[in-house]
Amino acid sequence: MNPVMDETLDEPPTSAVFLDNCHFSQVIFNNVEKFYVPGGDITCFYTLTQHITPRRKDWVGIFRVGWKTTREYYTFMWAPFPSDLSGDSIVQQQIQFRAYYLPKDDEYYQFCYVDEEGVVRGASVPFQFRAETEDDILVVTTQGEVEEIEQQNKDLVKENKELKESRLCLQKQNLGLQEELRLAQEKMKELEGEVCFLQTGNLELRRAQELQAGEMSSAQMNLASIREQNIKLGKENQELQKGLESLRSSCEKLELEGNFLKEENKRLTEQNGCRESELQQFKEHNQEVSSEKEQLESRLKSTLDRMDQLQSQVLNQEKEMENLVRMDHDKTEQLEHLKEENRRLRITLTEQKEQEEKLEQCLEDLKHQNRDLAKELEEKNHLFQLLQRKQDEIEEKNLRLRQENNELLMRLSESPDYSARVAVPSAQVPTRPPESADLLFGNPYYNSLETSAVNMPSVKKCPLCHEVFPDDIGPRQYEDHVRSHILDCPFCDETFEDKQVYDDHVYCHSLE
């Protein structure tokens, strides 16, 4: 049975999901030590990225390296739910495991973040639970060299840290620039939509203007036809007035003739009563003249009525002409208003085009800044590579020096003087204390060495392969030998001594 933490009696949600279906990059574990001292509580630090949505039943477990499913946890703790959580934020969390529930062996373990569906969302690098031991290594070097090496290491670590911080800063700036570029592109799309809308409105205005122009041309044609009809009616009116004047003149002539006949009839009646027949003829003639006069009067009356009708028609046509002129004026004013609105729309469109050009220029500037930042980052990476290459050259030089010291030591051990000097009677060899039991020739700092062989050389032993080195071997050569057993991760800064642990760690990186 796996031990369970005392905070809860519930079992964590697990599943038989294999490693191929897990997402190890959604939760990142930070500040994981290579080993933890047994008997003490440990704190696990991790980061929730924007790719995961934490839930109430998520948990963090300790798994032995080589696990296959989430049911193989050793112990677990419920993951605390973040208090302030937004969609695009990165949340830093921590959780504490009590010492009582931690493993007691020296196997390799790792932290794993498991969601409420039993799927692994993140895994840490492997670590051990073992006591911190001091390696029984004797490094013979001067204090000045030690300080110089430590200072070089500090400078390189500091410079590496500054380069990493600069790289993170540049990445943040790059993300900010990409966000600004995305906003600028969205703004450009909005402006393009507004331009399309304005162009559509302009086309509609042009169509309305064309319709109004057609209506105006038809109204002008109607006005011209009405003017021609008015001119024709004026000519007919003039002809009628001329006919009326001729009728008036003939009527006046007839009236004068009638008057003359009346006077002549009176004269004839007074002169001769016998001329009744002639008088009768004159009466008949007078009646005919009267009937003709009546006909002329009726014709004159009809002509006057016709003239009144023509005058009323002329007045109506003049009113219609005034209405058409007024409508023409209104249409002209409306057309001027539409032209003014079209001019304002063109000005607005020009301003929007200028603003779009400014946005494009700003986008180009941002691209140039991004390229400059990328170039600066490349230069810093190149500088870091040069420093790394320089460090490698120094290490190679130290390795050569150590090899030379090793050869000298081997020659020294083959000489008969060295063998006679080392061959000390067993009675004179001091008894080794318990703390130096792992050393082949005893602890060189033990007090009894003052009475033993003074010239006996110090010996170094590799803590991994237990190979013994003479005292005069160079410290750099010895460190290179020890470092040859250490495996560096190609993806991060972690180092390992065990090949299986190293393979598991690299496999974890390959799953991300």
Side-chain angles (χ1 to χ4, degrees):
M1 288 293 293
N2 295 330
V4 182
M5 306 302 288
D6 59 355
E7 278 76 2
T8 178
L9 298 176
D10 297 334
E11 291 289 336
T14 60
S15 67
V17 178
F18 291 96
L19 297 176
D20 296 338
N21 298 323
C22 298
H23 307 278
F24 293 95
S25 60
Q26 295 181 356
V27 178
I28 301 172
F29 288 89
N30 307 317
N31 302 327
V32 180
E33 302 292 340
K34 294 181 181 179
F35 62 89
Y36 293 95
V37 179
D41 298 342
I42 62 173
T43 303
C44 173
F45 300 92
Y46 59 93
T47 301
L48 299 176
T49 64
Q50 65 270 19
H51 302 294
I52 186 173
T53 302
R55 289 176 285 185
R56 298 288 182 182
K57 288 291 185 178
D58 293 353
W59 54 282
V60 179
I62 297 179
F63 290 77
R64 190 190 303 271
V65 172
W67 59 274
K68 300 299 182 183
T69 65
T70 55
R71 298 173 181 173
E72 301 177 15
Y73 68 91
Y74 185 88
T75 185
F76 80 99
M77 285 289 290
W78 295 111
F81 191 77
S83 59
D84 185 12
L85 183 64
S86 59
D88 298 332
S89 63
I90 297 176
V91 183
Q92 302 288 338
Q93 295 286 90
Q94 66 179 24
I95 189 171
Q96 188 174 24
F97 289 88
R98 295 185 179 178
Y100 178 77
Y101 300 100
L102 296 177
K104 304 300 187 293
D105 54 10
D106 58 351
E107 296 291 333
Y108 283 91
Y109 294 86
Q110 62 181 152
F111 297 113
C112 291
Y113 187 96
V114 186
D115 61 8
E116 66 179 14
E117 296 178 356
V119 180
V120 179
R121 301 295 181 179
S124 70
V125 296
F127 55 86
Q128 285 181 292
F129 291 94
R130 61 182 178 87
E132 184 177 5
T133 59
E134 296 182 357
D135 295 333
D136 297 329
I137 301 172
L138 179 61
V139 179
V140 179
T141 181
T142 61
Q143 185 66 25
E145 292 178 353
V146 172
E147 292 177 355
E148 184 179 357
I149 292 171
E150 289 179 353
Q151 186 64 33
Q152 289 179 357
N153 290 332
K154 289 180 181 179
D155 293 340
L156 289 174
V157 169
K158 183 178 180 181
E159 189 172 357
N160 190 9
K161 186 177 180 181
E162 291 176 355
L163 289 173
K164 287 182 179 179
E165 292 177 355
S166 176
R167 182 180 177 184
L168 291 175
C169 181
L170 291 174
Q171 288 177 352
K172 290 180 180 179
Q173 291 179 359
N174 192 7
L175 291 174
L177 292 174
Q178 289 178 357
E179 183 67 20
E180 292 178 0
L181 176 60
R182 185 181 63 79
L183 294 176
Q185 289 176 352
E186 291 178 357
K187 184 66 176 178
M188 189 181 298
K189 289 181 181 178
E190 292 178 358
L191 291 175
E192 288 177 357
E194 293 179 359
V195 169
C196 293
F197 178 74
L198 292 174
Q199 288 177 353
T200 306
N202 193 7
L203 290 174
E204 292 178 355
L205 290 174
R206 287 181 180 177
R207 291 174 183 173
Q209 186 177 358
E210 291 175 357
L211 292 174
Q212 290 176 358
E215 292 178 357
M216 284 187 65
S217 62
S218 62
Q220 288 177 357
M221 291 175 66
N222 293 329
L223 182 62
S225 63
I226 291 170
R227 285 178 180 175
E228 291 177 357
Q229 291 178 3
N230 194 7
I231 292 169
K232 289 180 182 179
L233 290 173
K235 290 180 180 180
E236 290 179 359
N237 192 9
Q238 289 177 2
E239 290 176 357
L240 290 173
Q241 287 179 356
K242 288 179 181 180
L244 182 60
E245 288 178 357
S246 63
L247 288 173
R248 284 177 180 177
S249 62
S250 62
C251 186
E252 289 175 356
K253 289 179 181 180
L254 290 171
E255 286 179 355
L256 292 174
E257 187 177 357
N259 292 327
F260 177 73
L261 289 173
K262 285 179 180 180
E263 289 177 359
E264 188 176 0
N265 190 12
K266 285 180 182 181
R267 185 178 60 80
L268 290 173
T269 302
E270 292 176 356
Q271 286 180 1
N272 193 4
C274 64
R275 296 182 181 179
E276 292 179 359
S277 60
E278 293 180 359
L279 181 60
Q280 187 68 29
Q281 291 178 357
F282 279 112
K283 284 182 181 179
E284 292 177 357
H285 183 70
N286 192 8
Q287 288 178 357
E288 290 178 357
V289 172
S290 297
S291 63
E292 187 177 359
K293 181 180 177 182
E294 289 176 357
Q295 290 178 359
L296 290 173
E297 286 179 354
S298 62
R299 187 178 177 183
L300 177 62
K301 186 177 180 181
S302 63
T303 304
L304 291 173
D305 293 336
R306 175 71 177 171
M307 196 169 109
D308 291 335
Q309 290 178 0
L310 291 173
Q311 285 179 354
S312 62
Q313 288 180 2
V314 169
L315 290 174
N316 292 328
Q317 289 178 357
E318 287 179 353
K319 289 180 180 178
E320 289 179 359
M321 282 286 295
E322 290 178 356
N323 292 329
L324 289 173
V325 170
R326 192 179 299 107
M327 288 175 64
D328 189 12
H329 182 68
D330 294 337
K331 295 283 186 181
T332 305
E333 289 181 353
Q334 189 175 3
L335 181 61
E336 291 294 332
H337 179 69
L338 290 173
K339 286 181 179 180
E340 181 65 24
E341 187 175 359
N342 192 7
R343 186 181 63 81
R344 289 198 298 270
L345 288 173
R346 286 180 180 176
I347 293 172
T348 305
L349 182 60
T350 306
E351 292 177 354
Q352 289 178 354
K353 287 182 178 179
E354 292 178 355
Q355 188 176 5
E356 184 177 356
E357 291 176 356
K358 291 181 180 179
L359 288 173
E360 290 178 355
Q361 185 65 31
C362 182
L363 181 61
E364 291 295 331
D365 295 337
L366 290 174
K367 288 182 178 178
H368 287 304
Q369 291 180 2
N370 194 2
R371 283 196 291 268
D372 294 338
L373 291 172
K375 187 176 180 181
E376 185 178 354
L377 178 61
E378 186 177 357
E379 291 177 355
K380 289 187 176 180
N381 288 332
H382 181 64
L383 180 60
F384 177 73
Q385 291 176 0
L386 291 176
L387 292 173
Q388 189 69 29
R389 197 178 297 117
K390 186 176 179 181
Q391 184 180 0
D392 293 339
E393 291 176 357
I394 293 173
E395 290 179 354
E396 290 178 358
K397 186 177 180 181
N398 290 332
L399 180 61
R400 288 195 298 270
L401 292 174
R402 289 178 182 178
Q403 291 176 354
E404 292 177 0
N405 291 333
N406 195 9
E407 292 176 357
L408 292 174
L409 182 62
M410 292 175 64
R411 293 176 184 176
L412 182 62
S413 61
E414 292 174 357
S415 64
D417 297 336
Y418 178 78
S419 300
R421 193 179 306 162
V422 172
V424 181
S426 58
Q428 296 179 2
V429 176
T431 303
R432 289 178 292 175
E435 62 272 10
S436 62
D438 294 335
L439 297 177
L440 183 60
F441 296 102
N443 191 342
Y445 296 100
Y446 190 62
N447 296 328
S448 62
L449 287 176
E450 296 179 358
T451 59
S452 63
V454 178
N455 296 325
M456 186 176 66
S458 300
V459 177
K460 304 174 187 177
K461 185 170 69 173
C462 177
L464 301 176
C465 67
H466 304 291
E467 183 178 353
V468 179
F469 296 93
D471 179 49
D472 56 352
I473 188 173
R476 197 65 178 180
Q477 186 176 0
Y478 176 76
E479 291 175 1
D480 289 339
H481 173 79
V482 175
R483 190 171 182 79
S484 63
H485 295 290
I486 298 175
L487 301 173
D488 295 327
C489 177
F491 300 100
C492 63
D493 297 334
E494 297 293 331
T495 58
F496 303 93
E497 298 175 358
D498 187 86
K499 184 68 167 60
Q500 181 63 36
V501 177
Y502 169 76
D503 293 337
D504 293 338
H505 177 78
V506 175
Y507 180 72
C508 290
H509 280 296
S510 65
L511 295 176
E512 294 180 355

